[in-house]
Amino acid sequence: MERTEEGTHQTRTWCRTSWWWMGLLVVGWPVGEAQRRLQPTQARTCLTEQPLTCGGRGEYDETTCRCNCSTGWKGVDCALCDRDESCTANQEGMPGTCDTSLQYQQDRAVRNYTCTMDDANMNELLADDVRMSCDRGEKECYVEIAFAMEAERNIVCKAFDCRFTEGSMDVKCDRTMCDCPNECPDGFGTIVSGIEDEAELTCASENSCTINLADLPLTFAGTCVVGTCQYGDGDGLFLDDFETTETSSDAAVIGVVCGVIGGMILLLGVYFLHSYRKEKGVRAEIHRLEDALGMDRDTYLPDSSASLFEFSGVTCTIIKSAGNNLSSSVMQLLNSPRDMLKTPRRPKDNSPRDEYEDAALDVVHGTYDELGQRVILKEASGSVASGSMIAFMGPSGSGKTTLLSVLVGAHVGKQVRVDGKVTLDGEDVTKTGGSKFSRFRRITGFVHQEDMLLPTLTVYESILYSAMLRLPFYWTKAKKYDWASNVIQELSLETVKNARIGGSLGSRGISGGERRRVSIGMELTTNPRILALDEPTSGLDSFSAYTVMQALRKLTKQGNKMVILSLHQPSSEVFQELDQVHFLAKGSTVYAGPAKQVCSFVEQSGLPCPVGHNIADWMLSLVSHRDSLNTLLKSWSVNKALYASRASGPETREEGDAVLVSANNHPSAQSLATESSDNSSDIISYGRTHSTRYYMASLSPTSTKKLTHGVLLQPPLRELHVLLWRSFLVLLRNPALMLTHFVVSLLLAVLCGLTFQGLEPNLQGFQNRSGFLFFSLSFFAFASLTSIDVFMAERNIFFRERMSKYYRTSTYYFTKVVLDALLLRIVPVCFFGLVTYWWIGLQETSSKIGMFFASMMLFNVTVEGLSMCISIASPTAGVATLASTVLLLLMVLFGGLYVNVETVTDALSWLKYVSLFHYAYEALLSNEMEGLLVTFNVPDFPPVPNVRGEVYLGTLNMSHGRIGTNLAALGGFCVGFYLLGYLLLVPGRKFVELFSSMCSACSKGKKLPPSTDDPPTAPSFRIS
């Protein structure tokens, strides 16, 4: 805190000192001097009270106020030699040499300079040349300056800890102390005593040098001459007295940036090396298994056998929050009638009701438990056997989608508690994260109600990238291509194989039924044993719906799969394709049994079942009316055992193994079979299934985990390859956004070039420089909001594919960040900068150019990270755009151009530290103004030349010494934003579990558990 206050005090002192200097130089200029400048024909009057003595080596000229030096001497007082003979004559015959080189050599100890200013206005401002003398032995330098207004009161500065480099003309000193031998000029005493920072002499070429005192706003640039007589062998200095290397602040910044980049590359290298070693271990286990079973190399597919899927007592309840519980308690104490809305009551009449009527009333009005919590699904039970199809049916809001999501382990809501039991072949699969649950999710495919497909890809490409990401990594590309082609053939999509999906941005594509079959095909690439579909016929015409159901029926019978789907209002043809149906009403089961016996159940309940009428529509109408629903519930409770939907699964393990025989008849599996004999393929498959189980049972837990989990987990580099391929295809086929960025950047670059061209080193040029840089930052900041639409367009697709374990969250996120940053952020900056930088006339040194582009790119990428974080956390694109705009406007306000933060109240001044514009603007403007000599030209006053650009930075409370700090701050924000965006993408439960495990390990001193990057498949699946 003390350092911060001291730095703020120094900044304010710098601002006051800078403007004080210029005010004194402009306002304090004698009026007579201004009048004299208006009369150039008059003879010049010498301002010094005593003429120069010229050291006995020349004569003083009152017309020019200078010495006319004798042959062999030069300088303002003829103190500098220009030939060796002059030195010899000066020492009465002692041999000497005249050193006239600006470069420091080992045998030269002292050097004297006289510098004549190049700028005419500066020559008028000074009484005579600036003198400088350096002594390498003492590591000191002296600088003498005399202003024309009071030439007899000159300013002498002594610089300490000076560094000299052999063969160089530059001198740099760490400390400076200034004084006035004959009293300082009026008003200069405080300023002179405040000069204490660095001093340097830099020479760009022979005799063209600049003398710079850090605390002095003026820079003295001109032609410097050296003439020092050297006698004897020099001062005996050795090479160690010279500075051989020097590290500038820019080099330090570059070193830090390179170090950070190198560290990140090293971490990525370690990560990929670990992944490669893991992949190598899994491949070795696969080869051992294949050798043991007599299989060809790289053909093993994990066992997906399953014969019976059961669920019982599945109940979903919306959990009330603490606030709602408190509100409910208060309302109960006050006997509020609001409770009547939560717990259904009997009618006011006193007519007798039986328990089944009350149950029907509960369903009609909504069911609540004893705590007043709403029950959206109540004790649903059923089963489905291999080779059969079951459908959950009911009116809207009946709970069929909720039941389907619960069974496949999908997300059903953060405030939903799920109770019940789900088993696969008698094994409980409800424990999220367990090995049995992982196997269950691996053999289960879930097709959502909405077809979330990339419209720019073709049918074949959509199914192919699913196969490339989800099939075993050790399979060859040719096998995966064949697998995808067989899935297309199985779903009868050959005619539209090369057609684009379409359906967005006005692009035409395939039909709705074909889109639905593509969605199914993407799940079939893993050959799942259980296939769940949420209303696959919704939004389709009757023919398309029937086509989809025929494909599902074919998969059920030929692939021996379990197909579970939800239907809203199927046609009679679709209903006939079903094996079992499960009717729901308000979360309660009305019927669960064979589809062919629905009419019998209705008639047995005492209700008519019209012949020729669609039985699905008739059942929906019955469960929508109170009286008929009451009758059906009563009948189901009595006759439940007659219509039990439990399929007759295999009684023994051997019978269950036999199911695999027909599973291997799947067309995709047939195409990859290594046996040529059709008669023996079933026997071989049956034997391999047994052998695989026995082999797996003999393995260690580590080897078993590699074979069950590692085989379907793609290496990160392979995932990146597929995702980059997909993203590039999408971008190339829909390049509107990318081209818009390029075109707009070029158009605005031309506009800026025409507006700011011809920058001059004066006040107007400073204003134009600062305006151009801030406008550029504003343009790229608000252009980065397009990243919101880019992510929003694929967010639902990402969530679906992540749940289906297509890829890791990190690889998808890395792909999006890299492509968006490279093509939409960095390339437009390059176009913009290449057009404007040289056009408007910014400084053209390589370090300045590199710092400009690096700062602009880093700022643009950082703002993109901010926009991406907001888009991930926002529910809609509108909310994300509004939030991003407000944040950017606040950052613009405290960016350093519109308001001087030193004048803002302390309650708001801290906002500059969270403004990305503050860091980028200070870095860019400091980079441009540092080393720039600007003329302070105020109307109606004589101009003050060679004012250092750092003076203008001080007026904005900026410092050129903070360029590295600003870039480091931007880099920190950049890394922080992208890391936060990744954490927001990771499902909440996994993040909480990871954080808890870290805290537990830290508190107990244990080793951290290894963390995987793939997301959990069911963050809310909590069946007990």
Side-chain angles (χ1 to χ4, degrees), residues 619-672:
M619 280 293 295
L620 289 178
S621 64
L622 291 178
V623 299
S624 299
H625 294 83
R626 176 183 301 180
D627 294 337
S628 57
L629 176 58
N630 172 59
T631 302
L632 292 175
L633 285 173
K634 181 178 180 180
S635 176
W636 175 247
S637 178
V638 174
N639 302 308
K640 183 185 302 184
L642 291 176
Y643 301 95
S645 61
R646 186 184 188 282
S648 55
E651 304 258 339
T652 64
R653 187 68 174 177
E654 287 72 16
E655 293 179 9
D657 294 338
V659 175
L660 294 176
V661 175
S662 102
N664 284 308
N665 289 328
H666 188 275
S668 300
Q670 289 177 353
S671 66
L672 297 174

Side-chain angles (χ1 to χ4, degrees), residues 241-254:
D241 295 319
F242 291 94
E243 285 273 329
T244 56
T245 59
E246 182 180 354
T247 303
S248 64
S249 59
D250 290 343
V253 172
I254 294 174

Side-chain angles (χ1 to χ4, degrees), residues 505-527:
L505 302 176
S507 60
R508 294 183 59 85
I510 58 179
S511 65
E514 292 165 340
R515 288 169 59 89
R516 192 61 48 87
R517 279 182 281 163
V518 172
S519 298
I520 297 172
M522 294 178 68
E523 293 300 319
L524 289 179
T525 54
T526 59
N527 192 23

Side-chain angles (χ1 to χ4, degrees), residues 774-930:
F774 203 87
F775 172 80
S776 302
L777 292 175
S778 301
F779 160 62
F780 285 113
F782 287 97
S784 68
L785 297 181
T786 56
S787 61
I788 296 176
D789 291 332
V790 171
F791 176 76
M792 288 292 182
E794 295 185 9
R795 181 159 73 169
N796 290 334
I797 297 177
F798 163 72
F799 288 149
R800 177 185 66 83
E801 293 178 343
R802 183 183 66 182
M803 190 194 75
S804 299
K805 302 181 77 67
Y806 275 65
Y807 38 69
R808 299 171 178 85
T809 301
S810 60
T811 51
Y812 171 82
Y813 188 65
F814 181 81
T815 303
K816 296 300 295 181
V817 168
V818 169
L819 287 181
D820 192 89
L822 179 63
L823 298 178
L824 302 183
R825 312 300 160 208
I826 295 179
V827 174
V829 167
C830 293
F831 287 163
F832 184 85
L834 290 174
V835 173
T836 59
Y837 196 92
W838 288 269
W839 189 347
I840 67 177
L842 299 179
Q843 294 198 61
E844 297 184 7
T845 61
S846 58
S847 60
K848 300 291 184 183
I849 296 172
M851 195 64 68
F852 170 82
F853 280 94
S855 301
M856 292 293 294
M857 291 177 184
L858 181 58
F859 171 80
N860 205 10
V861 172
T862 304
V863 178
E864 183 223 2
L866 173 63
S867 300
M868 188 165 290
C869 282
I870 296 175
S871 64
I872 294 173
S874 301
T876 62
V879 174
T881 302
L882 179 60
S884 300
T885 303
V886 172
L887 283 178
L888 289 178
L889 287 177
L890 287 176
M891 291 182 180
V892 166
L893 182 60
F894 290 89
L897 179 66
Y898 293 112
V899 62
N900 194 312
V901 182
E902 295 297 326
T903 64
V904 178
T905 177
D906 294 338
L908 297 177
S909 60
W910 61 271
L911 288 173
K912 77 172 185 178
Y913 296 110
V914 295
S915 172
L916 301 179
F917 285 85
H918 165 71
Y919 300 105
Y921 185 50
E922 183 174 15
L924 287 170
L925 192 58
S926 299
N927 177 65
E928 175 60 23
M929 297 303 296
E930 183 183 9

